[in-house]
Amino acid sequence: MKIQRIIFILIFCVGLSSSTVAQVNSTDLDSTNIDSTVLQPVGFSDGDLSTGNDTTKESFKVRPWEFHAPLASYLAETDSTLRWQSWPDWTYKLSRDPGVIPYRMGTSLRSNAVQRFAHEPRHQQLYWEGIPMNDPVSGAVNWERIPEHKIGAFYNQDLGTQYRSTYYLKQYYLSKPLSRLIYSESKFSHRNLKFEVSHNLSRRTNVQLSYWDRRTGGEYPNSEVTGRQIFAKVSHHLSENQYLKLNFVNNNFDVGRPFGYSTQDLRLFPFDRFTAVANEPSAKSQEQANTLALTYYQRSADSTEVTDNLHAGIYYKKNARSLNSSTDSTSYAVKSAGIMGKKWWRIGGLSLQASANYQQFFNQTKVNGSLPADDWSLLDTEGRVTLDFTPIIDFKGGVNFKYRSDGFQSYRVNMSSDISVGPLTITPGVSSGTVMPTIQQLYWNSASYQGNPSLKEEKIQEGHAMASLSLGPSAKVGLRAQHKDIIDGLAIVDSSFVNISNYASQSAAVFFEWDPTHFEFDGSVNLHRFTNSLLNSKTSIAMDPAKRVWLKGSAYWKGYMFDRATYVKVGASGMISPFRYQADHYQPQLNIWQPVSNDQRLPFFTNVDIDISARVRSIIFELSWENVFDDVSQLGYFETAQYPMSSRRFIFGVRALFRN
């Protein structure tokens, strides 16, 4: 009955809107940010804040602020590509991308992770503009904390030794207050409610405030997760070419930690929520992350240039985590203060980027906590360059150096090139560098695990190549391969962090994309494996060498319906893992993933999701059926050993935008 009522409401709203203002079938309008509006050409003058009389002001044309992309990165997502679907957390979005093998634990908002090409979870970085968002103790990326409904642009960079993602949030240019309501619901404990308001205090100043209540899990014992995200922003145009922004974000999560579910053989797991037995029936973790940042932006006085070329700011962060279980209780709390700056130059075909980031960390862990380390500081410097040699060849390169006050340091040198010959583009690249041990790997102290101050930096040699062939304005096929040699890799063995024997991480992906006017098709064949290092091929490796193979594909139709009153996108996305393999292992006490473990290999599995979204004026309805063939072709499946994925479920969501 609930589903029938929801569908009836959707049809009613669509029918009601069919007699109202129609939408124009334009590609440009389809990609317009419906959450941002510029209603009148306005500008900045000295009297904007003092006269209070709009009728006496001369109107000027506003140049909306554009944030400079990281040099040599590529734009992976925008609001236009993200608006048609909501994701339980960001790993669900990444799981559909070529070259990605996800490690999810069946419940969103957990510490899910992904393998990105040859890059393991510990070799991935996440930045909010110029602020590093990795955990300062474990180095983990907490994908569940990304404010996905606010993203304006999401960039990716393969740096060779590591893989970096950077996101920017949407900007608002308003003449009236704006409000957004986002809600989604499914069975068990899955609920999401987000409310946001934005208001211009003046022509120069905008204020945003949002609250995001998040709940999920409940299908299996001790799997419930509750959380919230509070976000506030004040942005102020100092002048036409200077911009100031104050951001605050608070994340809090209470997470049930079952430590997996007991089974002697993953192939015989019953996928029955009433008979499943959690290894830890009452273990819980509490996690908190706060970020407060004041950032200054500047762009050229050239009236034709809308993209900035200078970012500088100061920020404060707090990260805390505690876990209570029958075998080990761990906790830490770290505060930090940082200063960052980033500058871009362009001289003809030469583009340069220089950046520096300094952080001072203050260990606030209690005496009985798990991090008996002194305060420390970290300096991170980077330079990048791109050069257009000819219309055929482009060169990209970068260098990075980090120094930490406990004496550890790391570096990276990487270079690549884009060689374009007609519709064919070939991108080879190489890199070399080191990765310093994390604070956790060096100084951790708990009942189950111990740090090791004698660890050495990881040494990485990497090479990759990609070839893509354009088959027209809306289609392309491609192949990407990558090899990473890791010397003195870092992992937990028994109960201590150690440098393990040399090994290599290899990946390959074949992909295609076809995006005609009313359809979207894409697919990929993805392979990853651990193997012997090229530098020492006779040494056995510590991880399972079995190949990880994922086949992915999706097909969607999009277009106007009901006399152009609504824009609809409907289709399906699926994957097959045809061979058994060993996924990375999750350590709840440490909140990290690693490939070295005794976990069982995962059984063969498939998954298909059906998605429907419909925009009716300023309201978007979302209907999703996840894992639709659950209990049909299989009882269930795993992406991480002992953590069953969610059974078939229907998710209803709505996003409403109010301008008033």
Side-chain angles (χ1 to χ4, degrees):
M1 287 298 296
K2 182 182 292 186
I3 296 177
Q4 293 176 346
R5 288 197 301 269
I6 292 171
I7 295 175
F8 174 78
I9 293 172
L10 176 60
I11 294 174
F12 175 77
C13 292
V14 170
L16 181 65
S17 300
S18 62
S19 60
T20 61
V21 179
Q23 300 181 47
V24 181
N25 187 7
S26 166
T27 302
D28 293 336
L29 286 181
D30 290 348
S31 62
T32 301
N33 185 345
I34 67 169
D35 299 330
S36 304
T37 55
V38 183
L39 299 183
Q40 294 179 357
V42 296
F44 308 112
S45 65
D46 293 338
D48 280 352
L49 298 179
S50 58
T51 64
N53 184 3
D54 288 346
T55 61
T56 63
K57 296 176 185 176
E58 181 182 359
S59 293
F60 297 90
K61 183 178 180 181
V62 163
R63 291 188 293 148
W65 202 274
E66 295 288 342
F67 298 107
H68 204 298
L71 202 60
S73 65
Y74 74 91
L75 182 62
E77 303 292 344
T78 67
D79 170 69
S80 295
T81 62
L82 294 173
R83 73 178 60 169
W84 299 106
Q85 188 165 357
S86 295
W87 308 94
D89 67 47
W90 198 254
T91 58
Y92 286 72
K93 166 68 184 72
L94 294 177
S95 68
R96 299 186 180 184
D97 294 347
V100 171
I101 295 178
Y103 308 132
R104 294 178 290 181
M105 293 182 282
T107 303
S108 59
L109 308 187
R110 293 188 180 278
S111 306
N112 297 325
V114 295
Q115 176 82 31
R116 307 191 77 169
F117 302 107
H119 302 285
E120 301 164 56
R122 73 177 188 279
H123 291 157
Q124 298 173 34
Q125 301 174 341
L126 180 65
Y127 280 76
W128 176 15
E129 299 186 10
I131 302 175
M133 302 304 290
N134 292 60
D135 187 275
V137 175
S138 67
V141 176
N142 296 288
W143 299 105
E144 71 278 4
R145 298 176 188 173
I146 293 179
E148 59 183 72
H149 301 117
K150 294 179 174 295
I151 289 178
F154 197 97
Y155 298 93
N156 287 332
Q157 275 179 292
D158 193 331
L159 302 173
T161 60
Q162 294 174 308
Y163 196 95
R164 179 182 298 172
S165 296
T166 303
Y167 64 89
Y168 291 84
L169 304 185
K170 289 179 285 194
Q171 295 295 105
Y172 292 97
Y173 294 90
L174 311 167
S175 62
K176 295 182 179 180
L178 177 146
S179 303
R180 284 202 302 168
L181 177 66
I182 301 172
Y183 178 76
S184 65
E185 178 181 357
S186 185
K187 62 182 180 180
F188 304 117
S189 300
H190 183 90
R191 303 287 188 279
N192 275 287
L193 175 62
K194 182 176 182 179
F195 185 78
E196 176 181 349
V197 294
S198 180
H199 180 60
N200 271 20
L201 300 182
S202 71
R203 294 180 179 230
R204 295 173 181 251
T205 307
N206 175 264
V207 176
Q208 293 181 45
L209 179 65
S210 68
Y211 180 86
W212 189 7
D213 183 75
R214 314 172 74 182
R215 302 171 186 271
T216 190
E219 181 171 357
Y220 289 94
N222 197 25
S223 66
E224 291 198 4
V225 182
T226 60
R228 72 162 190 263
Q229 183 180 90
I230 300 173
F231 176 85
K233 183 180 81 169
V234 179
S235 57
H236 178 71
H237 285 264
L238 298 171
S239 68
E240 187 121 1
N241 304 310
Q242 299 181 86
Y243 182 53
L244 198 63
K245 185 165 62 176
L246 179 67
N247 284 313
F248 172 76
V249 62
N250 166 268
N251 285 283
N252 274 280
F253 292 96
D254 293 310
V255 185
R257 296 290 182 184
F259 283 55
Y261 297 89
S262 299
T263 180
Q264 297 296 318
D265 189 336
L266 294 178
R267 294 171 295 183
L268 303 178
F269 189 78
F271 295 96
D272 185 340
R273 59 188 299 260
F274 299 105
T275 61
V277 178
N279 292 323
E280 284 283 348
S282 59
K284 306 286 183 183
S285 69
Q286 291 80 41
E287 302 169 13
Q288 180 183 17
N290 298 334
T291 301
L292 176 66
L294 177 64
T295 311
Y296 168 81
Y297 307 86
Q298 180 178 290
R299 62 186 174 189
S300 170
D302 183 357
S303 61
T304 63
E305 185 62 56
V306 298
T307 303
D308 57 28
N309 56 26
L310 173 66
H311 298 178
I314 56 176
Y315 57 91
Y316 162 86
K317 297 176 67 179
K318 178 182 178 181
N319 291 83
R321 183 179 190 268
S322 63
L323 179 142
N324 294 305
S325 70
S326 63
T327 58
D328 195 2
S329 293
T330 63
S331 66
Y332 65 85
V334 174
K335 296 180 180 179
S336 64
I339 181 171
M340 54 77 65
K342 189 175 292 187
K343 175 66 177 175
W344 292 267
W345 298 268
R346 185 171 180 85
I347 307 170
L350 177 66
S351 297
L352 301 170
Q353 173 187 308
S355 62
N357 196 317
Y358 177 81
Q359 297 181 80
Q360 177 65 47
F361 296 89
F362 306 96
N363 189 0
Q364 305 290 303
T365 306
K366 297 179 180 180
V367 176
N368 59 348
S370 307
L371 192 64
D374 296 330
D375 298 343
W376 70 94
S377 60
L378 176 65
L379 174 65
D380 184 354
T381 61
E382 185 175 54
R384 300 196 61 78
V385 59
T386 64
L387 179 61
D388 297 336
F389 279 116
T390 68
I392 297 178
I393 301 176
D394 295 339
F395 169 80
K396 295 176 283 189
V399 294
N400 171 256
F401 176 77
K402 294 181 181 180
Y403 178 80
R404 200 168 57 207
S405 58
D406 59 358
F408 284 90
Q409 61 186 32
S410 67
Y411 78 92
R412 183 195 73 247
V413 179
N414 66 288
M415 60 186 68
S416 63
S417 179
D418 292 332
I419 305 170
S420 300
V421 181
L424 177 65
T425 301
I426 300 174
T427 306
V430 294
S431 65
S432 177
T434 59
V435 177
M436 69 177 75
T438 66
I439 293 296
Q440 182 185 71
Q441 293 167 339
L442 293 167
Y443 309 118
W444 190 262
N445 182 28
S446 70
S448 300
Y449 300 103
Q450 299 293 317
N452 182 358
S454 300
L455 293 174
K456 296 179 288 186
E457 293 95 344
E458 293 183 278
K459 304 167 187 65
I460 300 176
Q461 310 291 327
E462 179 270 348
H464 65 269
M466 183 175 73
S468 62
L469 179 65
S470 175
L471 303 178
S474 61
K476 71 175 181 179
V477 296
L479 168 66
R480 191 186 194 279
Q482 185 171 38
H483 175 93
K484 286 179 70 174
D485 255 17
I486 296 99
I487 301 171
D488 294 326
L490 295 167
I492 283 280
V493 176
D494 295 329
S495 61
S496 180
F497 288 97
V498 297
N499 292 107
I500 60 177
S501 58
N502 303 346
Y503 70 97
S505 176
Q506 295 179 336
S507 75
V510 179
F511 60 90
F512 78 90
E513 299 174 4
W514 184 29
D515 190 13
T517 303
H518 291 293
F519 294 93
E520 293 180 7
F521 300 101
D522 64 71
S524 62
V525 179
N526 308 275
L527 180 146
H528 175 264
R529 71 171 184 173
F530 294 106
T531 186
N532 296 98
S533 166
L534 294 179
L535 303 177
N536 190 352
S537 60
K538 296 182 180 180
T539 303
S540 61
I541 62 175
M543 54 281 294
D544 190 332
K547 297 180 180 66
R548 304 162 169 187
V549 179
W550 274 51
L551 312 178
K552 306 179 185 180
S554 67
Y556 288 87
W557 177 87
K558 56 187 178 182
Y560 289 94
M561 296 181 65
F562 301 106
D563 196 22
R564 305 170 69 85
T566 180
Y567 192 86
V568 176
K569 182 176 179 180
V570 56
S573 176
M575 52 74 51
I576 300 174
S577 178
F579 307 111
R580 300 189 67 188
Y581 68 89
Q582 185 188 72
D584 274 21
H585 178 76
Y586 178 67
Q587 301 279 5
Q589 300 95 326
L590 304 171
N591 197 31
I592 62 171
W593 293 82
Q594 70 170 37
V596 179
S597 75
N598 295 318
D599 287 348
Q600 301 176 47
R601 291 184 177 181
L602 305 182
F604 157 86
F605 60 91
T606 63
N607 179 54
V608 175
D609 300 332
I610 296 176
D611 306 307
I612 302 174
S613 60
R615 173 182 167 183
V616 183
R617 304 190 71 180
S618 59
I619 299 177
I620 294 181
F621 296 92
E622 298 173 337
L623 307 176
S624 298
W625 286 267
E626 293 185 350
N627 198 8
V628 294
F629 293 128
D630 179 59
D631 208 21
V632 177
S633 61
Q634 61 191 19
L635 289 179
Y637 73 101
F638 296 92
E639 289 184 8
T640 302
Q642 298 188 343
Y643 288 91
M645 294 295 291
S646 296
S647 59
R648 180 173 56 248
R649 63 178 178 178
F650 169 76
I651 302 176
F652 168 75
V654 61
R655 283 185 282 170
L657 180 69
F658 307 99
R659 300 183 180 96
N660 49 42

